[in-house]
Amino acid sequence: MDKLLDGLLSPNFEEQSCQSRYQSSAYRKPSPHKQSSYLISRLRNYEALHKRCGPNSPLYHKSISQLKSGHSMGLMECNYLVWSPFNGLGNRMLTIASAFLYALLTNRVLLLHVTNDLDDLFCEPFPDSTWVLPSDFPIKDLEKLNLGSEQTYGNYLKNKRIIRTDVKVMAESLPAYVYLHLEHDYKHLDRLFFCDNDQQVLAKVNWLLIKSDMYFVPGLFFLSQFEDELGWMFPERETIFHHLSRYLFHPTNSVWGMITRYYISYMANADEKMGIQIRTLPHIPISIEIFSDQILACSWQENLLPSINQSITQAEMNGGRTKTVLVTSLNSEYYEKMKSMYYEHRTSTGEIISFSQPSHEVKQHTEKQSHNQKALAEMFLLSYCDVLVTSGWSTFGYIAQGIAGLKPWILLSPKDQKAPDPPCRRAMSMEPCFHSPPSYDCKANKNVDLGQILRHVRHCEDVERGIKLF
Ligand code: GDP
């Protein structure tokens, strides 16, 4: 078993400081998707850049002086991308991965504004440095930046502080930093981020701040300047989040303790492991009864779970084969219902099905660190399953499928509070969906359907307007 995932992970760490980095691979089958050697060399170069420019290095201090000067400067050795959290943990992890890829493509150093609720979740991914933004960073209240802030790219364009067609602009005439507002409520001018011209201007700004709740990687494929690099780094396009998440996200020892204790207690001995990730969203309501029936209909139709059968005799049991089903949800009702059903009845195949659920937190509490630790632990536990059923629209499920490298069966969203038919669809790829992509063709200067333009980008199974790589 290669602990360092065939060179994806740097050997320059101390094992005890982050056990998950070395032990996680033992909990799942080796990934059939090998990363390119080009990606590995880009990662090693990035790590060297991060070490040179990272917090507390002389070059970082030089860049902080530039930031305080109020304008950009042409010849800085280090340029930065500062990420701030927004929305739930799944959203956050998708945007960290997207921001990291953008940093790789633009030779920037990625720093994270780690709020208290994100403490003790992830190990440092880059050796001999930190990705945590120092607390004395001169721009305060990063989380308050929003659509209306004057520093958004869109507002700078609107107020003519930046002229997007002026690709020859001198860096000195540009602001010291620009805030990229890529949240789902973003408007046309902020969406111009996905245009080549605009990227040429943004390349001259030394500090970019970013806040998003979306996996915006598919949008980077519409930028012709990144096309070759993306192709070399990821010849298999549907593996981008798979490789990036395995590279970036290593639960800290505290979270790893939760993961391993649970895995050994409830999952390790089963012949087969299935994960069912259940998430209902306020904007698409559905009752617990109807959603439970939809989950079972999907599992039975797709032969993921055996149906229950009253008539089979005990002697027909299938050699004692066991399947364990890991249920994750904020509620316990789904788990209770399925567990009782398979406790009270025999299965048609004779298989023994057991159910477990690590937590039922009732409500989302992203502001609580211990709540986020449980969420992270459950994403990882789901990623150790052989088969996944996930809830449409949920970024929580995208994380599990991406780390696992699995194409899940996606529970489609209800319509008018009724279960859809079919209840679920197999995902075309393991990539997450970009929920609100732009719809502007920068070259043609008109609105188009970006789900129809590139060969390897399609609309998502669960979000009609969304796009994903496959
Ligand atoms: P999304 O809202 O489904 O896209 O996923 P997010 O992860 O961005 O936000 C949902 C948040 O609610 C999670 O991060 C958790 O804090 C919480 N949550 C939702 N479902 C579960 C679950 O099954 N288990 C746990 N522990 N927390 C959950």
Side-chain angles (χ1 to χ4, degrees), residues 30 62 119 159 171 175 188 283 296 302 305 322 385 394 434 449:
K62 197 169 156 201
D119 255 357
N159 300 326
H188 176 67
H283 67 282
L296 286 170
E302 302 296 332
L305 278 179
T322 57
C385 292
S394 175
F434 179 9
D449 179 355

Side-chain angles (χ1 to χ4, degrees), residues 86-92 277-279 281 327-331 357 359-361 363-366 371-372 374-376 378-379 382 393-397 399 435:
F86 180 57
N87 259 339
L89 187 63
N91 297 87
R92 293 172 181 202
Q277 182 253 338
I278 305 173
R279 172 93 168 123
L281 296 159
V327 179
T328 69
S329 170
L330 287 170
N331 304 323
Q357 177 171 351
S359 76
H360 47 92
E361 295 276 284
K363 269 194 166 156
Q364 177 171 347
H365 280 292
T366 297
H371 169 88
N372 292 335
K374 285 183 201 157
L376 181 60
E378 286 167 41
M379 290 170 182
L382 284 168
W393 277 91
S394 175
T395 61
F396 192 105
I399 304 292
H435 284 180

